[in-house]
Amino acid sequence: MRVKVAKRLWFHRQASTKSDRFPQPNEVTEGALQVWRTLPERIRQDPSLASFRQEHERLHGDVDQLHAEESEVRVQNGHHEETALANQPFTQIGINVTNEAGQVRVLDGRDLENNNDDQHEEAEPHAKSLIRKYLIWFKIAVLLVVWCVFTAFLMSNNEHVDQLSLISVPRNSSPRVFPIATASLQRIGLGLRGPFRLQENELTINASVPLPLLQVQVMRSYFDGEGMEIYIENASQVWQLDVVYPDLIDATRDTKKQRTFELSPTDPLWLAQANRTELSFEFTSSIEGELPLQLNVDESPIYKRDGVIYAAAVLCGLYVMIIWEIVNRTFAAIIASTLSVGILAALNSRPSMATIMGWIDVETLLLLFGMMILVAILSETGVFDYLAVYAYKITNGHVWPLINCLCLFTAVLSSFLDNVTTVLLMTPVTIRLCEVMCLNPVPILMCMVIYSNIGGALTPVGDPPNVIIASNSYISKNGVNFAVFTLHMLPGVLLVMVQTYIQLRFKFRNISDLQFKDSPEVEELRHEIHVWKRAAASLSAYSKDEELVRQTLMKKVNRLKRSLKKRMTAVIEPAPNYQQTLANLQAKYPIRNKPLLIKCSAALLFVISLFFLHSVPELQRLSLGWTALLGAIFLIILADIEDMEAILARVEWSTLLFFAALFILMEALTELGLIEWIGNMTEGIILGVGEDRRLMVAILIILWVSAVASAFVDNIPLTTMMVKITISLAQNSTLNLPLQPLVWALALGACLGGNGTLIGASANVVCAGVAEQHGYKFTFLQFFKVGFPIMIGSIIVTTGYLLVSHSLFAWH
């Protein structure tokens, strides 16, 4: 019996050893090498993938200059690296595994004989496992129901196509009648395109010449059995539009206006006498000349009250999926955006594919794509590791001075660069800096991105809402230029920075909150396992070459798991002192590729210079997206990069897809009337207060509504709507409200509100995506617990600043 058991154990060990054996160089194909080159650099250089590197060097020589120079640096610093790893708990991702004695060694097949229990994970209790299984099935069932709903809506309704008509309204208030096909309607939509005066344009008032107007209303006619009109009545309220002066019609760009008319019920007395009724639009113009118009009639417009309810339900569903991590946030955004389009289809307003593509802000996606390419190539030089060690040196290894320098630098940089660009550049540095100091990068990244949003509020180019506000022609003509904008925002931003620092110090008053719960070695091994799993999951199994690489990566994951089990029971050794750690880090993280760093610096200088020039309106020739794309192309040419697949594999495609889905979702919610409802509620509250307190209430309402709404919906469509409301309030002569205090309230609210939630600002999403690519994931609730209280504190401080400076001292 003992012999049989021994043989069985021997065969099991042999099978386990064989299954975990890494491929030999002669087993590596050219296709597998192409897959290997797309992996992150830290994983490519791991000893477990040495066979791939050897085969690459045998077939291609030293054509990959980056790898060759890196190899040379590793050979020169081999003994320093071994000493550093023996004394410093931080280990570089995917390079070596540290044993209990603190020595560095590479695991081989012999370790499997003593650790063949990797298949036996800690099993969950049966009851908990059963509950989890039921929850998974419940989630799948709910998502399938949602899928069936929007699929049925999309399949049962065609795309909504506007039927365009051309009319000409006569001069001197002569009415023009346009018949409506259907007589029995409760509401009807009308879209007009013509030479209307934009709300943002400066008024040209001449007492001798009245302002031209166009009046539109729906009329209902009653006819007897012989077809004679016996009565006509107004079926809706009058819609009044401002028109440009006759001599400016040819030089004015057509503007689109839309309105939904709520129709009054038919008169029962006349209906009893009539045989039929007809509806028609009546156009009347006061312009001295014929007024050409293009119109389209929508006989089944969206009922905004119901649309707002549907929009709120979709938005709540999105947050439920993200907050409780029911599905990946990118997939959650795709589901929510598709459902919103399905609801539009159910309401007979299904947009065309061209319309949906127009909803996507390609400018933002182009900016993100270009900067991700630049950062991916720049990371190959080792400059992020070098800067992290340098920051560790100048702060003497102290945590809070280092965080303060990091946040202050990020805020200043975000003031003059787009904060998305700043976060893309600063996140890798922050992560490496935290790894150097054995800190948890998640809370540090939250602090950094919060200060990025605060700094972006300072100037007209720091944050997208500020760009929308400052580029408005009416606002700019009323004295809001770059200098005035920055001057009025500076005191508020400085006060918010101080308040945020106090709150962050209180939130993380225990330094242990910034550190990992377990020992650095354990956390580092967990991080390595996450990174290797992520790399393996990025490869599919439909080709033999990718399957070979994927299996190799999973074998590495199994070895790391066994090493983690040993680490969990090992004795924690004391960390080395500051001087020893600094010396080890400086030897471990030099600049790996100086020629490539020079080329990257040239490309970054080009991009950042054009970004700074973008802050001067007279020099704006290229958008931020074009600038980033040109910089990426410039660097690819300089670096002579031939393997584009390896570079494109570093792009955070899930983040780009998340933004695209979010843009579609927000435009669909706008079509359903959610943003308009928020604006109307804001305007109604302000108009309902007395004149003596109207400015104070207007500042409070605009600031708090824009801040809270920006935390939960995209601030770009919200800011666009709030700008129109702000201008209409300032143009209302009966209110007598100054424009500038309302502008400052809107800018501060829209920018600072982005700190409230993870998806409140573009920079937050980008930071989370880059961090997850590096193996550090922070959830919606983690960010909410830190960001939302800081957002509330920031708005309270900003409220005091605006009320004192404008309501009390009338700085404007």
Side-chain angles (χ1 to χ4, degrees), residues 142-176:
V142 172
L143 292 178
L144 281 177
V145 170
V146 173
W147 177 85
C148 292
V149 168
F150 62 66
T151 302
F153 287 160
L154 292 172
M155 293 179 65
S156 59
N157 294 274
N158 294 323
E159 294 180 350
H160 179 77
V161 179
D162 293 332
Q163 300 294 333
L164 302 178
S165 302
L166 296 176
I167 65 170
S168 178
V169 182
R171 68 177 67 189
N172 297 329
S173 302
S174 298
R176 169 64 190 271

Side-chain angles (χ1 to χ4, degrees), residues 468-482:
I468 295 173
I469 295 170
S471 60
N472 186 280
S473 59
Y474 181 82
I475 292 177
S476 61
K477 290 177 181 177
N478 281 270
V480 180
N481 53 30
F482 189 93

Side-chain angles (χ1 to χ4, degrees), residues 40 73 203 207-208 219 269 281 310 321 357-358 392 399 502 508 529 531 538 604 626 694 724 746 784:
V73 171
L203 286 171
S208 61
M219 309 299 293
L269 179 62
F281 286 108
Y310 298 146
M321 288 187 288
M357 290 296 103
Y392 179 78
V399 175
I502 295 173
F508 301 111
I529 292 171
V531 171
S538 66
L604 279 178
W626 271 112
R694 195 163 285 159
K724 296 179 181 179
L746 175 59
F784 185 83

Side-chain angles (χ1 to χ4, degrees), residues 490-754:
L490 181 61
V493 169
L494 292 177
L495 290 173
V496 169
M497 290 177 69
V498 174
Q499 161 264 327
T500 303
Y501 174 75
I502 295 173
Q503 278 192 259
L504 287 175
R505 285 301 298 262
F506 180 78
K507 172 67 177 178
F508 301 111
R509 55 189 180 274
N510 296 326
I511 200 67
S512 60
D513 294 335
L514 299 174
Q515 297 172 340
F516 292 111
K517 302 303 180 183
D518 294 314
S519 65
E521 293 89 346
V522 171
E523 290 296 339
E524 182 58 32
L525 281 174
R526 286 176 176 167
H527 177 229
E528 284 191 61
I529 292 171
H530 179 83
V531 171
W532 282 81
K533 278 186 175 180
R534 182 181 174 89
S538 66
L539 302 177
S540 62
Y542 68 86
S543 71
K544 183 177 68 174
D545 298 324
E546 286 191 272
E547 178 65 17
L548 175 64
V549 179
R550 192 176 69 86
Q551 289 180 356
T552 305
L553 297 180
M554 290 309 299
K555 291 172 185 177
K556 176 69 175 182
V557 170
N558 292 334
R559 291 190 172 187
L560 289 174
K561 286 182 178 180
R562 289 191 293 271
S563 182
L564 177 62
K565 290 180 181 179
K566 289 184 177 182
R567 268 297 165 197
M568 296 291 288
T569 58
V571 179
I572 301 177
E573 297 181 359
N577 57 35
Y578 165 73
Q579 295 295 338
Q580 183 182 359
T581 302
L582 178 62
N584 294 338
L585 293 173
Q586 287 177 332
K588 186 177 181 181
Y589 299 118
I591 298 295
R592 297 194 295 267
N593 195 334
K594 292 183 180 179
L596 182 60
L597 178 60
I598 295 173
K599 297 172 184 177
C600 292
S601 301
L604 279 178
L605 182 63
F606 167 78
V607 172
I608 294 176
S609 300
L610 289 187
F611 281 171
F612 276 110
L613 291 179
H614 195 268
S615 62
V616 183
E618 294 77 10
L619 299 178
Q620 290 182 11
R621 296 293 182 270
L622 286 175
S623 63
L624 297 179
W626 271 112
T627 301
L629 181 62
L630 292 177
I633 295 173
F634 177 53
L635 180 55
I636 292 174
I637 294 173
L638 280 183
D640 191 23
I641 294 176
E642 298 179 359
D643 192 359
M644 278 299 298
E645 290 185 2
I647 299 299
L648 294 177
R650 317 286 181 84
V651 175
E652 269 292 311
W653 296 107
S654 62
T655 301
L656 298 180
L657 190 58
F658 175 81
F659 275 111
L662 201 62
F663 290 142
I664 295 173
L665 173 64
M666 289 304 154
E667 288 295 334
L669 298 186
T670 303
E671 291 290 321
L672 290 171
L674 179 63
I675 305 299
E676 182 181 355
W677 178 79
I678 295 174
N680 292 338
M681 292 290 292
T682 303
E683 189 173 11
I685 295 174
I686 295 174
L687 294 175
V689 300
E691 185 177 354
D692 54 338
R693 300 179 180 178
R694 195 163 285 159
L695 177 60
M696 180 182 69
V697 172
I699 291 175
L700 287 174
I701 295 299
I702 291 178
L703 176 66
W704 281 89
V705 168
S706 59
V708 176
S710 293
F712 295 96
V713 301
D714 187 29
N715 54 15
I716 293 177
L718 179 74
T719 305
T720 304
M721 173 60 67
M722 293 298 292
V723 163
K724 296 179 181 179
I725 295 173
T726 301
I727 293 174
S728 66
L729 292 173
Q731 288 180 341
N732 194 329
S733 58
T734 59
L735 295 179
N736 194 25
L737 289 174
L739 175 66
Q740 290 194 10
L742 308 183
V743 170
W744 313 140
L746 175 59
L748 288 169
C751 293
L752 299 179

Side-chain angles (χ1 to χ4, degrees), residues 96-109:
N96 293 298
V97 175
T98 311
N99 61 14
E100 297 89 345
Q103 299 173 343
V104 179
R105 63 189 181 93
V106 178
L107 294 175
D108 54 27

Side-chain angles (χ1 to χ4, degrees), residues 286-320:
S286 63
I287 193 172
E288 293 295 332
E290 292 190 353
L291 179 63
L293 295 174
Q294 183 187 73
L295 64 87
N296 66 281
V297 178
D298 185 4
E299 295 186 356
S300 57
I302 297 174
Y303 186 40
K304 296 298 183 180
R305 292 182 182 178
D306 293 343
V308 170
I309 297 175
Y310 298 146
V314 172
L315 198 61
C316 290
L318 173 66
Y319 276 95
V320 167

